[in-house]
Amino acid sequence: MNALGLFGAFATLFAAGYGLLVLLIHRSARLSLAEQIAFSWLFGTGAVSLLLWAFGFFADGLLLQGLVSFVCISLGMVGWNLKKPSQIRSKARWFEVVLTPVIAIEIAIVFYLSFVHTLGWDGLLNWEIKARYAFANGGVLPAAYFSDTGRAFSHPEYPLAIPFTELWLYLWLGEPNQFCAKTIFPAFYVAGTFLVAAFTARLSRRTWLGLLMAALLFFVPQITVEVGCASAGYADFPLSVFYLAAAGCLFCASERGNDVFFRLYAACLALLPWVKRDGLILWIVAAACGVFVILWRRKSPLSLVAFLPGIVIICAWRLYLNAMHALQAVDFLPFNLETFRTHVDRATPLLSALLAEFCNLPTWSLFWFIVAVAFLYALPRMRDPGVVALLLALIAPIVLYLSLYLFSSWPNYLDHVGLSISRLLMQVTPVGFLLIALAISRRPERRPQRVQMPNRATCAIARSERTAVVELA
Amino acid sequence: MTSHWSCGRIAHLLLWCGLAAALLMVSIPKIYSGVTEYRLRPGGALHTTDSYLKFATGREGVSKNLISMFDSMPMSKPIVIFIRRGDAFSSGLGMTTAYLASPHAVRLCEIDGTHPDNELYRINPDKVAAVVLCRLNRPSWLPAGKVFGPGLEIVSIGEKG
């Protein structure tokens, strides 16, 4: 029964996501199967959680589940009717043949880990708690929960993408189930792996490098086995996958006329603040990178509409919290110049803590050292707006997160840093892999009209799929 | 060497192969120990809370007992949970109990020391469904409650119906 319920929940999630993906690309691009699966999962979780929240204003129980299921199935049918065949590679190299089962084994291990371990502390008491309480109240979070001081520890103000995806599973299972709720987190790992592989292959024009980067993602202990890892039930890894999708799409969209990836970027961008409160910072950074690309490439001013969905989600959630009289978090002091001036002396210890974290081998292995090498490689290529956007997307969130600790209200702000910095850094880790791939590939500055490898998926190919070269591919 | 395999290209290749090998050498022991540390166990609907409560109280399947106990209490009255300041185990136990006490409203009271006598005196018994003591000593004047291991005691104040 549980398996059937899980199948129904996952099928409707993928159907909704696939329909949205096809509507966004609108016959103008061909994505690989891995990209379709990854984007379908991301858009599916985003859409279903938003629909559950929006329809929850006027429906609950079976009606709510039925309405959301109807929309999911409708989107899936629309997507199926508009679909285009996936890109099919003609022949794989031996290295790719070796790497594919390695990645499959890694994914199997992440699934295994997610079932071996319980939900992490935040996974249970910040995220799953909302799914459980909403399920017990017919699929809608009880209004009393938002102002319940006894449960303020569970951060009622956190957004609902992750808990309402868990809720969707519960509605199909017919009961809240902490064990089954964990299944969504390895699915995010799968999406992250597929996107690292796909974006790397696009930006380096080498499929083997994409597979290699995807395989190496597993070897960052913070992602695999550390506290707050991909299988722990925390929102940080899912957020990192959404951020990777936004940054990767923006890199592809930085090529002239590549509007398909700009639309995908806009969709991923909008969902960032819906996954976690920190997603607002990632949204700001990714939006700033988007503005940079729009200006550099002299895209139409209409491109700025891409930021509207995210702004709507941010404002709608803020209004909802105000209407519910939700308790506000007390982790930070008021963000003003006076607080900044009195706490600026924290800057040096914070920098030391960050450096210590970068050098924390049990948590990060050599990942940040390799990123530093890749950063040096990227410096001579600063004329490429995609590279600049990628560097900004990696560095700006780290700087902003570190600055936030200046405003920490914890008695010992370094405890606050120690408890959360590894998870915050994990949010930009997959983007770091794109930078490493760029350095390894030593890709020359892009000339979009010169597509040299017709059997490889690149951003340039995806831009204009109707060319003879791509029809051949 | 032809221009296809220039010195720069070889150095580039060696650098990245070396970095990848070093990453694997540092990571694999850590990941291996993380993967092999625990064995797969059957998971239930309350898989995580049961594990937390077993860790804190030493008893199996406590979550279900707690839920049925809270269900037997009047929903209109809140549950007061006492936890000990500076004791991570106590606050963890308190928060897990608060999680399971839904749909009751809960009040988390953090106290210094291990004797909540003063705070308990201030409670009006007519307005509270139960008192939960997390790693705290129950005063002798308070009736005995249901004990779940050494760290958790729930004193029901007014039964439903």
Side-chain angles (χ1 to χ4, degrees):
Chain A
M1 192 62 193
N2 273 359
L4 205 63
L6 277 181
F7 176 77
F10 273 83
T12 41
L13 280 166
F14 271 109
Y18 183 69
L20 283 174
L21 175 67
V22 173
L23 286 173
L24 279 169
I25 58 177
H26 198 62
R27 292 179 188 270
S28 52
R30 227 175 248 177
L31 301 179
S32 65
L33 185 62
E35 286 169 318
Q36 289 181 35
I37 291 170
F39 281 118
S40 297
W41 175 251
L42 296 186
F43 295 156
T45 53
V48 165
S49 55
L50 279 167
L51 286 171
L52 281 172
W53 179 53
F55 288 178
F57 286 108
F58 57 86
D60 64 1
L62 268 179
L63 179 62
L64 176 65
Q65 187 183 357
L67 278 174
V68 177
S69 299
F70 175 75
V71 176
C72 291
I73 293 166
S74 305
L75 280 168
M77 286 167 68
V78 169
W80 187 257
N81 286 331
L82 294 175
K83 76 180 165 62
K84 291 182 76 179
S86 308
Q87 285 184 333
I88 297 169
R89 294 280 315 284
S90 54
K91 193 180 172 190
R93 295 176 179 183
W94 71 268
F95 196 47
E96 294 161 15
V97 173
V98 170
L99 282 171
T100 306
V102 169
I103 293 170
I105 291 167
E106 289 174 354
I107 288 170
I109 291 174
V110 172
F111 269 95
Y112 169 79
L113 281 171
S114 93
F115 296 129
V116 165
H117 294 291
T118 60
L119 285 164
W121 191 250
D122 286 4
L124 181 77
L125 295 176
N126 286 354
W127 304 109
E128 198 274 342
I129 191 173
K130 294 177 175 66
R132 186 182 188 85
Y133 288 2
F135 178 82
N137 194 42
V140 183
L141 265 174
Y145 168 68
F146 289 94
S147 50
D148 185 351
T149 51
R151 293 190 175 88
F153 63 82
S154 68
H155 292 281
E157 81 282 5
Y158 279 9
L160 300 175
I162 298 300
F164 272 27
T165 304
E166 294 172 335
L167 169 66
W168 187 239
L169 264 59
Y170 292 173
L171 289 171
W172 277 87
L173 291 167
E175 63 163 0
N177 190 314
Q178 295 163 355
F179 188 74
C180 292
K182 296 204 79 186
T183 50
I184 67 167
F185 297 99
F188 275 108
Y189 180 79
V190 173
T193 306
F194 283 5
L195 285 180
V196 167
F199 284 133
T200 302
R202 282 188 184 280
L203 65 88
S204 68
R205 297 172 192 171
R206 293 183 180 107
T207 307
W208 68 265
L209 187 56
L211 293 174
L212 182 66
M213 287 296 112
L216 288 178
L217 187 69
F218 179 83
F219 291 99
V220 178
Q222 177 58 47
I223 288 179
T224 321
V225 291
E226 271 292 313
V227 177
C229 63
S231 58
Y234 288 43
D236 300 275
F237 187 76
L239 181 61
S240 78
V241 180
F242 277 98
Y243 189 57
L244 166 72
C249 288
L250 186 64
F251 184 88
C252 291
S254 68
E255 292 186 344
R256 285 186 199 286
N258 199 336
D259 292 333
V260 174
F261 275 98
F262 199 77
R263 287 199 292 273
L264 292 176
Y265 153 77
C268 298
L269 181 72
L271 292 171
L272 287 172
W274 183 238
V275 180
K276 203 181 174 208
R277 201 174 48 165
D278 315 344
L280 183 60
I281 289 185
L282 298 181
W283 184 88
I284 291 168
V285 172
C289 294
V291 171
F292 170 74
V293 168
I294 289 171
L295 293 176
W296 188 297
R297 286 292 183 217
R298 296 195 179 90
K299 283 180 185 281
S300 155
L302 274 178
S303 304
L304 293 171
V305 174
F307 306 125
L308 201 59
I311 293 169
V312 168
I313 289 176
I314 293 166
C315 294
W317 181 242
R318 180 54 42 198
L319 284 173
Y320 179 74
L321 290 179
N322 285 343
M324 290 287 149
H325 307 290
L327 300 164
Q328 292 304 310
V330 290
D331 289 331
F332 293 99
L333 300 164
F335 292 95
N336 55 40
L337 272 177
E338 179 58 24
T339 317
F340 177 79
R341 197 178 55 76
T342 51
H343 292 79
V344 75
D345 58 324
R346 292 179 176 184
T348 314
L350 284 175
L351 273 174
S352 304
L354 180 70
L355 279 176
E357 185 62 28
F358 283 155
C359 301
N360 187 348
L361 294 186
T363 303
W364 292 107
S365 184
L366 293 176
F367 173 74
W368 290 109
F369 177 70
I370 296 173
V371 167
V373 176
F375 174 77
L376 296 177
Y377 265 80
L379 286 179
R381 298 190 214 176
M382 297 295 266
R383 279 188 301 169
D384 185 337
V387 175
V388 177
L390 209 55
L391 278 176
L392 264 178
L394 178 70
I395 296 167
I398 298 174
V399 174
L400 288 174
Y401 283 143
L402 202 65
S403 314
L404 275 186
Y405 291 118
L406 292 175
F407 300 89
S408 170
S409 63
W410 285 36
N412 183 352
Y413 65 95
L414 289 175
D415 285 348
H416 196 180
V417 177
L419 207 67
S420 52
I421 193 146
S422 60
R423 284 187 282 132
L424 295 180
L425 288 176
M426 187 170 65
Q427 294 169 10
V428 294
T429 301
V431 175
F433 272 96
L434 293 191
L435 193 68
I436 294 169
L438 204 64
I440 294 176
S441 70
R442 291 214 292 189
R443 186 185 167 186
E445 286 195 29
R446 289 174 293 174
R447 294 179 180 80
Q449 300 311 316
R450 285 173 52 202
V451 181
Q452 294 174 333
M453 302 170 75
N455 64 336
R456 299 292 151 82
T458 69
C459 303
I461 287 173
R463 173 176 60 82
S464 57
E465 290 292 343
R466 311 243 166 139
T467 61
V469 170
V470 175
E471 290 304 325
L472 184 69
Chain B
M1 285 288 161
T2 63
S3 62
H4 188 69
W5 281 100
S6 65
C7 288
R9 195 181 159 102
I10 291 169
H12 175 78
L13 193 70
L14 286 176
L15 170 69
W16 287 103
C17 285
L19 286 172
L23 175 84
L24 293 180
M25 276 174 60
V26 176
S27 299
I28 285 173
K30 169 80 182 177
I31 289 169
Y32 179 79
S33 71
V35 171
T36 54
E37 194 176 0
Y38 298 101
R39 293 270 166 265
L40 194 60
R41 290 169 300 151
L46 295 162
H47 162 254
T48 300
T49 41
D50 275 344
S51 294
Y52 285 7
L53 291 170
K54 188 188 175 191
F55 184 67
T57 66
R59 298 248 185 117
E60 296 269 6
V62 174
S63 308
K64 208 170 177 181
N65 294 339
L66 284 182
I67 289 172
S68 50
M69 193 172 177
F70 289 130
D71 280 348
S72 71
M73 296 171 186
M75 294 294 172
S76 56
K77 295 180 181 178
I79 310 252
V80 183
I81 300 170
F82 286 99
I83 56 175
R84 198 168 142 192
R85 197 184 306 277
D87 181 347
F89 277 100
S90 174
S91 62
L93 203 49
M95 285 190 256
T96 309
T97 312
Y99 165 94
L100 294 168
S102 172
H104 285 276
V106 292
R107 287 207 328 251
L108 273 175
C109 299
E110 205 173 28
I111 64 159
D112 295 313
T114 55
H115 296 275
D117 296 53
N118 293 338
E119 291 78 8
L120 280 167
Y121 272 126
R122 281 188 229 124
I123 288 176
N124 180 348
D126 295 335
K127 292 187 175 172
V128 169
V131 167
V132 180
L133 303 167
C134 302
R135 288 165 63 94
L136 293 170
N137 299 322
R138 177 176 52 81
S140 54
W141 53 266
L142 191 71
K146 187 155 174 123
V147 177
F148 299 90
L152 184 64
E153 182 167 1
I154 301 179
V155 183
S156 183
I157 307 283
E159 294 291 322
K160 197 192 263 183

